[in-house]
Amino acid sequence: MKILGIETSCDETGVAIYDDNKGLIANQLYSQIKLHADYGGVVPELASRDHIRKTIPLIQSALIEANLTSADIDGVAYTAGPGLIGALMVGASIGRSLAYAWNVPAIAVNHMEGHLLAPMLEENPPEFPFIALLVSGGHTQLIRVTNIGQYQLIGESIDDAAGEAFDKTAKLLGLDYPGGAKLSKLAEQGDTSRFHFPRPMTDRPGLDFSFSGLKTATANTIYQNINANNTIDTQTKADIARAFEDALVDTLVIKSRRALDQSGFKHLVVAGGVSANKTLRQKLTALMQQRKGQVYYPRLDFCTDNGAMIAYAGMIHLKKANVSTDLTINVKPRWPLNELVYF
Ligand code: KG4
Ligand code: ZN
């Protein structure tokens, strides 16, 4: 069974083909980062227009990469949410239309389920049950996962997502969008002892997160350290980046440990753009070694948005779900993981 996966929920056009015998046989990605850089964030209308330009050529490239023709494709999976409505509509319209033309089933995939299942594409995939920490530009969630499709949301951010906090703080430090990875690089030069920020909401029970206060504490420290030339010296910037990253990462680690304690589960899956963060990986790896459990991540390329995770999730569901052949093109810009329906 060969499934074409299409991802267009935000600022990456991703197309991949997953074969249930051979694994991933094509993976194409076009990032719109340059297109949005001048605006300091994603411009939804520009994103949709660019997905229109890139999706079909990427599908053609994926077929060439896998040495297949459209007649070899057994199903089409596309991201139907959560995400930007116009961007989602592009992938959904192309996905449903191609499936109709090729006379194969189409399936709407939840983007966050795609992230959650991305570590399944690796050689040593996680076993159920596990706690998933999903950390992306739009979401910070802890999920109790007992099987495919069985996702219980046990904690989430009540304001900014982890990636969003990284990006906004990076912007304050003068780094280009999306600044998460750049801030992390800058933090490598920082002194861990110069500044200290609070680990929000760790002093009370519960698994929810809040990062807007941390962002404000960081912003205040930046303003307090502006010198007579109206700038901040590079070392101070690095020290602030270090303190911010340590506070955010420690918070994620403390809440993940709490979720593991509460569930009794031995495995942790970390996915989404922020799972590429080196400090987070080091601290979670140390935590899981201490607990004699295991932590699983996607490869770095599959932490951020991609078509492979959508093709994979689509294949799993096309195999077991009773998918409708309805031609209605529907997307769900807000689509919580615990309200999954397959359409
Ligand atoms: O999963 P993703 O590609 O898109 C969403 O679904 O939101 O995540 C993108 C987010 C951005 O906020 C980006 O700055 C962040 O992931 N990110 C990182 C790193 N790499 C990407 N944040 C911290 N450290 C990184 N190395
Ligand atoms: Zn994503």
Side-chain angles (χ1 to χ4, degrees), residues 73-91:
I73 299 296
D74 301 298
V76 181
Y78 59 88
T79 305
L84 303 169
I85 187 161
L88 291 167
M89 282 303 291
V90 177

Side-chain angles (χ1 to χ4, degrees), residues 7 9-10 111-112 115 136-138 272-273 303-306 309:
E7 156 61 37
S9 68
C10 189
H111 181 80
M112 297 314 291
H115 276 304
S136 70
C303 288
T304 41
D305 294 348
N306 63 84
M309 65 187 196

Side-chain angles (χ1 to χ4, degrees), residues 8 16 87-88 120 138 150 152 157 190 220 224 226 242 297 310:
T8 64
L88 291 167
M120 300 282 180
Q150 290 176 14
Q152 187 191 354
S157 177
N220 290 339
Q224 282 154 13
I226 291 176
R242 174 81 270 153
Y297 310 97
I310 303 304

Side-chain angles (χ1 to χ4, degrees), residues 111-119 132-141 162-163 252 269-277 280-281 296-306 309:
H111 181 80
M112 297 314 291
E113 186 182 28
H115 276 304
L116 193 155
L117 296 178
L133 171 68
L134 298 184
V135 272
S136 70
H139 294 81
T140 304
Q141 298 181 326
L252 295 176
V269 161
V270 193
V274 183
S275 67
N277 184 273
L280 179 65
R281 286 185 175 223
Y296 300 86
Y297 310 97
R299 71 192 78 167
L300 288 179
D301 283 352
F302 293 166
C303 288
T304 41
D305 294 348
N306 63 84
M309 65 187 196

Side-chain angles (χ1 to χ4, degrees), residues 109-110 113 148-151 317 335-342:
V109 171
N110 179 294
E113 186 182 28
I148 297 273
Q150 290 176 14
Y151 312 123
H317 290 300
W335 190 9
L337 259 186
N338 46 351
E339 289 176 18
L340 282 191
V341 278
Y342 300 103

Side-chain angles (χ1 to χ4, degrees), residues 70-71 73-76 95-106 325 327:
S70 55
I73 299 296
D74 301 298
V76 181
R96 283 257 147 194
S97 307
L98 284 180
Y100 177 64
W102 296 343
N103 200 20
V104 295
T325 47
L327 288 178

